[in-house]
Each structure stands twice: as C-alpha cells, then as structure tokens.
Amino acid sequence: MNVLCVIPARYASTRLPGKPLKDIAGKPMICRVYERAAKAARVAEALVATDDERIYEAVLQHGGKAVMTRKDHPTGTDRLAEVAEKYPDVDLIINVQGDEPLIEPALIDELAAAFDGDADLQMATVCTEITDEAEAKNPNNVKVVMDKKGYALYFSRSLLPYPRHTGTPVYKHIGIYAYKRDFLLQYAKMAETPLEHAESLEQLRALENGYRIKVIKTPYRFVGVDTAEDLAKVNEIYHQMMKK
C-alpha cells in the first residue's frame, strides 16, 4: 500500500500566533513534526501542506518536503484533499496535525496497518485513555466511544460516556487520521452535517453519512502545542530527549 503522510500547517493561530514556526530545541515546530512523521516505516513520503510562504521556506531550509496550497480552504480536510488530487498513485493518506511535535512514528505505522486486509475500511483514527478527571471534563479534549469491534459510535467535546455508574473508561480522541484516497476526495465534498456543526467536529460528518471510523487505542501520551505553556513543556521534553 502506497502511504502518503500530509501535515497541514497554517500560520494563523488564535492562542499562539505563528505557531508552526515556534522554536523547539533549535528548529521550527513544523520541522520537528515532519522529522518524526518521516521516520514512520510504512510512509513512502511525508510532506507539509501550507498556504504560507514562511512555513514553506522553513520546511525546505531544514531538509523537509512541502507543497503550497490555496488560502481559501475552510477546513484542514479540504487542504488535505487538494494535496490528494495531486497524488493519484497514493492508496492511503495519513493526516498528522502540525502541532504534534511528539508524534510517535510507530503510531503512524499502526494506523496504516489497520487497513491491511480490510478493503472496506475507509477511515481510521486514534484514541488514548484519560485518567485525569479535569482532562476528561475539558471541552478542548474530544472524547470518543467505540463499539465492541473498535468502530466509533460518537465523538463529543462533552464528557462521554456520562458516568452514571463508574468504572467505564473515558477515551480522548487524538487528531491523527488515515483515509483511503478516494474516500478522502469524496468526504471533502460532503456538506456540513448538523452534529458536525453543533460540536464543531469534522469527523462527525463521516458518521452522520453512515461511514465507519476505526479507532486505534494507544498508550502513547502526547503534548500538543496550543499555548505558550504547551510550547515550554515540549521544549523541555525535547531537551531531555537530546541528552540521552
């Protein structure tokens, strides 16, 4: 299976302007994400998709690959689909967020492996168990519930499931996606759905249209960068990694 890893990156950020170019241990964050994604064994090629010349040039200067996309895309999925149009020979496209500089290459491989021998699977993503109550209640952390076969039943910013009885795990959705290329092109053309609009979660569009999303459970913990505090924490982790 020919796998392409695409990392969409926009310069604008409400909480951390210029986020993709913020320094992490001597390199722009987007370059750190690219480096880790490119290490995945199942990925034939990794690239950054951006509408900003500054991000494009930064990736090239640090030895990475990047493509320019249109500036008028309403969502990251639309930007991803523009790239997919240019790669007709690709079977699977994995979308890694540009603010995940600690992404595990092995997890990208595991996500690609979910499609092995399953011709009907069109889309897959990742979750990890939440053990902290405050994290579970935080609406910035998207929660997911799955059926017994590991397919998503629903995604929500609310606490899910409601703990009427304790003991049921709460799973945080990790925003890494894998799509069959043909499905991605079709998915990007679908109209926004009511639940997608209510929760502001694009993946609900697939569920509302009757498609199944496989959810891979992972023990890996990630520190995504949304704030200056997150950036400081990731820098500390990188400096510790570089000492080993």
Side-chain angles (χ1 to χ4, degrees), residues 225-242:
V225 178
D226 288 317
T227 65
E229 290 76 18
D230 295 334
L231 183 66
K233 187 183 298 183
V234 169
N235 260 293
E236 183 179 340
I237 293 171
Y238 258 86
H239 285 300
Q240 290 174 351
M241 289 166 52
M242 293 168 73

Side-chain angles (χ1 to χ4, degrees), residues 34-169:
Y34 173 86
E35 287 175 347
R36 293 184 70 83
K39 290 179 181 178
R42 298 284 297 257
V43 170
E45 183 178 357
L47 57 86
V48 172
T50 185
D51 61 1
D52 192 285
E53 289 280 356
R54 291 165 291 186
I55 296 173
Y56 177 82
E57 292 297 335
V59 174
L60 296 187
Q61 287 172 10
H62 287 85
K65 296 182 180 180
V67 294
M68 290 293 295
T69 59
R70 300 200 323 261
K71 293 181 179 291
D72 59 347
H73 288 305
T75 69
T77 301
D78 295 298
R79 194 177 310 282
L80 203 65
E82 182 187 343
V83 176
E85 289 275 10
K86 300 172 183 176
Y87 286 81
D89 296 333
V90 165
D91 302 301
L92 191 68
I93 292 180
I94 295 182
N95 175 200
V96 172
Q97 300 303 312
D99 56 4
E100 293 285 354
L102 294 170
I103 183 68
E104 284 287 344
L107 181 58
I108 297 173
D109 289 333
E110 189 176 352
L111 194 54
F115 292 79
D116 292 346
D118 190 345
D120 295 328
L121 184 61
Q122 301 296 321
M123 181 175 176
T125 190
V126 177
C127 74
T128 188
E129 187 173 348
I130 296 177
T131 56
D132 179 76
E133 184 177 354
E135 189 177 4
K137 292 180 178 179
N138 185 343
N140 291 321
N141 295 325
V142 177
K143 275 67 71 175
V144 59
V145 287
M146 292 85 72
D147 65 17
K148 290 183 177 180
K149 294 184 178 180
Y151 291 92
L153 293 170
Y154 193 63
F155 297 84
S156 181
R157 296 184 183 279
S158 300
L159 179 57
L160 195 71
Y162 181 81
R164 184 70 178 267
H165 300 287
T166 59
T168 302

